[in-house]
Amino acid sequence: MMMGVQIVDIEAAREFSAMIAKQVSIEGQLMLERRLAERRTRILGLVARLSLAPAALSELLGSFFGVRRHCQAILAEADRDVLVDGIQIAFSGAEPPSVFERISECGFHDQGLLRDLASEVLHCADPELHPLWRRWVLDPEQETGALALIVEDPTQLYGIDDDDTYGRVRFATEFLRQTLGAANTFPEPEASPFAFDVFLSGVYGVYSATVIKMRMTKEFNSLLPDLEEFMGRILGVKGERYASRG
């Protein structure tokens, strides 16, 4: 994998950071990090029960926002043993290629959803080593996503296959975390392995809201959630402010 040495669009990242800071407090961002950490603790407990409790797989899939709405369809179509095996090898410390390959073999028809699942599983297994790669982070088909908005040349992120693309996402994420952390572009970058996730969700939230507001009516725009709630939703945690809403 070859990528340029300077891949960060510092000015774009700083502009996004400033817009996020205006709308979401540091405390709000750190709260989202804590809720991501709490969800990981819950998921670790479910993974430990996968072989003993069949219902644990349903609950586990429901914990991953990328596939939550498709949980029943996946369970009805996929080979449960293959799916469980793919998840378990991720938590055994296996490298991403074997995890993506095994989960893709479960028999479910939507490979994009399986890719989202494999990425979330890997990220939960080791959030320091394996970055989050959901379609809102980077969508190779649509050539969009939060990462694409803060790099100099987004085309460098698109590989020849999922394994290649994920390798590029891993490289870019680590480079961005170090560079933007040194520049104090997002809060307390070393405090949590989920800090960069929260920052990227803010980037995507700011971009999405801007696009929507340009295209829709004032009446529709008034129904949009605020940025903190949007970030919580896209990360799969609504935050303590919104927990009572279900």
Side-chain angles (χ1 to χ4, degrees):
M1 177 191 66
M2 296 296 293
M3 297 185 69
V5 174
Q6 176 55 40
I7 66 172
V8 184
D9 186 338
I10 291 290
E11 291 307 312
R14 284 176 173 165
E15 186 174 348
F16 276 115
S17 182
M19 288 188 282
I20 294 168
K22 287 181 180 179
Q23 300 178 62
V24 184
S25 67
I26 297 296
E27 291 75 16
Q29 295 177 56
L30 293 176
M31 179 270 292
L32 290 173
E33 293 176 25
R34 289 193 296 272
R35 291 190 65 82
L36 287 169
E38 291 167 0
R39 182 180 66 174
R40 179 174 184 255
T41 298
R42 184 173 68 253
I43 288 173
L44 290 174
L46 291 170
V47 171
R49 293 169 45 210
L50 276 179
S51 299
L52 301 175
L57 179 59
S58 177
E59 190 175 351
L60 179 63
L61 293 178
S63 299
F64 294 121
F65 186 66
V67 299
R68 183 178 298 168
R69 294 181 180 179
H70 307 274
C71 178
Q72 295 307 312
I74 293 173
L75 290 171
E77 185 179 337
D79 184 313
R80 181 188 185 280
D81 291 337
V82 173
L83 192 56
V84 168
D85 185 55
I87 293 170
Q88 288 179 328
I89 64 173
F91 285 87
S92 72
E95 282 298 298
S98 60
V99 177
F100 277 102
E101 180 180 6
R102 188 57 173 158
I103 289 179
S104 72
E105 294 172 342
C106 74
F108 186 64
H109 70 278
D110 191 330
Q111 289 295 309
L113 280 175
L114 294 181
R115 182 179 64 202
D116 284 350
L117 174 61
S119 166
E120 289 208 62
V121 168
L122 282 162
H123 186 51
C124 185
D126 191 338
E128 291 279 8
L129 183 61
H130 304 308
L132 181 63
W133 177 31
R134 290 257 313 285
R135 274 173 273 195
W136 65 265
V137 174
L138 183 73
D139 187 333
E141 284 78 29
Q142 300 298 321
E143 298 189 353
T144 60
L147 271 182
L149 294 168
I150 55 173
V151 298
E152 290 282 1
D153 182 6
T155 62
Q156 293 190 57
L157 298 173
Y158 309 125
I160 59 175
D161 55 27
D162 285 351
D163 291 339
D164 186 22
T165 299
Y166 192 58
R168 293 165 183 259
V169 169
R170 293 175 80 183
F171 177 87
T173 297
E174 183 58 30
F175 191 95
L176 286 160
R177 286 175 61 184
Q178 292 184 12
T179 304
L180 300 180
N184 295 317
T185 302
F186 61 97
E188 298 189 31
E190 304 302 326
S192 164
F194 300 109
F196 194 66
D197 296 3
V198 173
F199 173 69
L200 284 182
S201 73
V203 170
Y204 190 74
V206 167
Y207 170 77
S208 298
T210 301
V211 172
I212 291 171
K213 288 176 181 177
M214 290 174 58
R215 296 179 177 177
M216 305 302 290
T217 64
K218 289 184 179 180
E219 290 77 11
F220 181 88
N221 289 333
S222 67
L223 301 175
L224 291 176
D226 63 32
L227 182 59
E228 183 176 335
E229 181 174 0
F230 183 94
M231 290 164 66
R233 288 180 180 276
I234 197 170
L235 290 166
V237 291
K238 294 183 182 180
E240 293 169 1
R241 287 175 55 195
Y242 310 105
S244 62
R245 299 186 189 179

